[in-house]
Amino acid sequence: MPILIKLKYPVPTGIPGISDTKPGNHMSSASEFLLLGLSEQQGKQPLLFSIFLSVYLVTVVGNVVIIMAIGSDPHLHTPMYFFLANFSLNNLYLPSSTVSRVLVNIQAHRHTITYAGCLSQIYFFLWFIGLDVFLLAAMAYDRLVAICHPLLYTLVMSPRCSILLLVMSLILPHSYSLIHTILAHLSFCTDNIIHYFFCEPLPMLKLSCSNTYANRCVLIYSGGTLTILSPLLIIISYVRIVAAIVRIPSAIGKWKAFSTCGSQLSAVCLFYVSAIGVYFISSTADSASKDRIAAVMYAVVTPMLNPSIYILRNKDIKSALGRLLSRRALQYP
């Protein structure tokens, strides 16, 4: 049940369904936030709707294609592609938790979200982001064992170990998102405007007049673990992988080993460069617009580009996709 919160309503002009009256000094009870999105100008809303819808459809199609290619090809039923299939599945969930709400708001000419809806969005967003982080780490560990300890690969990366890593990847970020969502039951007595297109934890904390020390500790230390410690472990893994590849005497062997890691390394760089930018951009005059761009990158653009990275750079995925299309063509001549 939504908690009624006292808010002042300084409302931007030009948004349908929202009064253009000037804000006063009085307090009013409300249970909604204003999501300004990427632009407050009404004339740009159709363009934004088309862009977000196109990106969302490309994301869905690309990730579904990867899941179908992996599921239909027995040669890809290995730990590496097991994690990749789950990574692609999560890349369907992540934009669905944010972009779908944007599309509904633009189409309905509403820029508000209830307090309960905001908490739900934060919960699922943090969970899916954390799951991305742990799946990238699991894929890096899989490649580390495969290249540095090939004789032990089948023993170490057994089905039981793969499922255990997946379960841990689900539980740990779920615990983080749940704790943060529970702590987000705050009082708000300042502006109710969120300068994002979805409910992001840090901007929401800035609006609260409650003591947010515990929330910030969870966000900084736990979030820091996700955005600093995890990529550090991934970097160490890939440094060891590169060192092992360099020692391979055959040029063909080097290329084959690198081709299995290049796409994953590209996905890691794309995700972390945009994600870290959100929390570590300096407080300059235009930091709000920079934050919004960074949020679009890691919450919308990254899930769209990941399928392209794996389809274009991974030979096994391209081969499996070709076989899948050939079978479909034979079934439906």
Side-chain angles (χ1 to χ4, degrees):
M1 180 177 180
I3 299 175
L4 292 179
I5 50 180
K6 292 185 177 181
L7 302 168
K8 290 189 292 186
Y9 262 79
V11 181
T13 61
I15 299 179
I18 299 177
S19 172
D20 291 342
T21 57
K22 294 182 180 180
N25 294 325
H26 63 281
M27 305 293 291
S28 60
S29 295
S31 58
E32 293 183 331
F33 292 97
L34 286 175
L35 296 174
L36 292 188
L38 298 178
S39 175
E40 303 169 31
Q41 300 180 18
Q42 178 58 23
K44 293 183 178 180
Q45 300 306 307
L47 176 61
L48 289 175
F49 180 84
S50 301
I51 293 174
F52 274 99
L53 179 60
S54 301
V55 169
Y56 184 64
L57 292 177
V58 171
T59 302
V60 170
V61 172
N63 285 287
V64 168
V65 164
I66 288 182
I67 294 171
M68 291 179 61
I70 294 174
S72 64
D73 196 327
H75 297 92
L76 300 185
H77 294 176
T78 62
M80 172 183 172
Y81 293 105
F82 169 75
F83 292 123
L84 177 57
N86 284 279
F87 183 69
S88 297
L89 185 63
N90 190 59
N91 281 336
L92 291 176
Y93 296 147
L94 178 57
S96 297
S97 67
T98 55
V99 177
S100 57
R101 181 74 193 193
V102 174
L103 295 175
V104 170
N105 283 354
I106 294 177
Q107 190 67 19
H109 301 288
R110 296 182 70 252
H111 292 257
T112 58
I113 184 171
T114 64
Y115 183 66
C118 199
L119 290 182
S120 298
Q121 196 172 62
I122 288 176
Y123 168 75
F124 286 108
F125 174 74
L126 291 178
W127 188 9
F128 297 145
I129 281 290
L131 184 54
D132 256 4
V133 170
F134 281 95
L135 286 175
L136 287 172
M139 289 191 285
Y141 177 71
D142 171 79
R143 290 299 85 199
L144 174 66
V145 176
I147 294 175
C148 298
H149 307 284
L151 298 179
L152 299 176
Y153 180 74
T154 55
L155 178 63
V156 175
M157 295 304 299
S158 62
R160 181 179 179 181
C161 178
S162 300
I163 294 174
L164 179 61
L165 288 174
L166 177 61
V167 171
M168 289 177 59
S169 299
L170 288 167
I171 292 177
L172 292 178
H174 173 263
S175 302
Y176 166 68
S177 65
L178 184 61
I179 292 172
H180 193 81
T181 305
I182 292 174
L183 291 175
H185 289 273
L186 305 168
S187 298
F188 297 88
C189 54
T190 58
D191 298 346
N192 69 318
I193 298 176
I194 297 178
H195 294 271
Y196 273 66
F197 61 95
F198 65 98
C199 286
E200 228 275 350
L202 192 56
M204 189 175 176
L205 291 181
K206 292 179 180 178
L207 298 180
S208 176
C209 58
S210 301
N211 185 351
T212 60
Y213 177 77
N215 303 71
R216 292 181 182 275
C217 285
V218 172
L219 187 64
I220 292 173
Y221 294 111
S222 300
T225 301
L226 294 177
T227 56
I228 297 177
L229 181 59
S230 295
L232 182 62
L233 295 175
I234 292 174
I235 290 172
I236 293 173
S237 298
Y238 279 110
V239 167
R240 293 188 59 188
I241 288 171
V242 171
I245 292 176
V246 170
R247 292 195 296 268
I248 297 176
S250 170
I252 297 177
K254 288 181 180 179
W255 173 252
K256 184 177 180 181
F258 181 76
S259 64
T260 63
C261 303
S263 54
Q264 293 182 12
L265 191 57
S266 301
V268 169
C269 293
L270 180 64
F271 176 82
Y272 278 108
V273 167
S274 55
I276 292 176
V278 173
Y279 296 101
F280 294 96
I281 288 177
S282 60
S283 301
T284 58
D286 60 343
S287 63
S289 61
K290 289 181 180 180
D291 287 354
R292 280 181 284 187
I293 294 173
V296 170
M297 282 296 298
Y298 77 83
V300 180
V301 177
T302 299
M304 179 191 69
L305 294 180
N306 280 330
S308 302
I309 292 173
Y310 284 99
I311 292 174
L312 295 177
R313 295 181 61 91
N314 191 296
K315 185 176 66 175
D316 293 335
I317 292 291
K318 287 192 289 186
S319 300
L321 184 58
R323 288 190 289 269
L324 176 63
L325 294 176
S326 298
R327 288 195 298 269
R328 295 293 180 182
L330 292 175
Q331 291 177 359
Y332 303 101

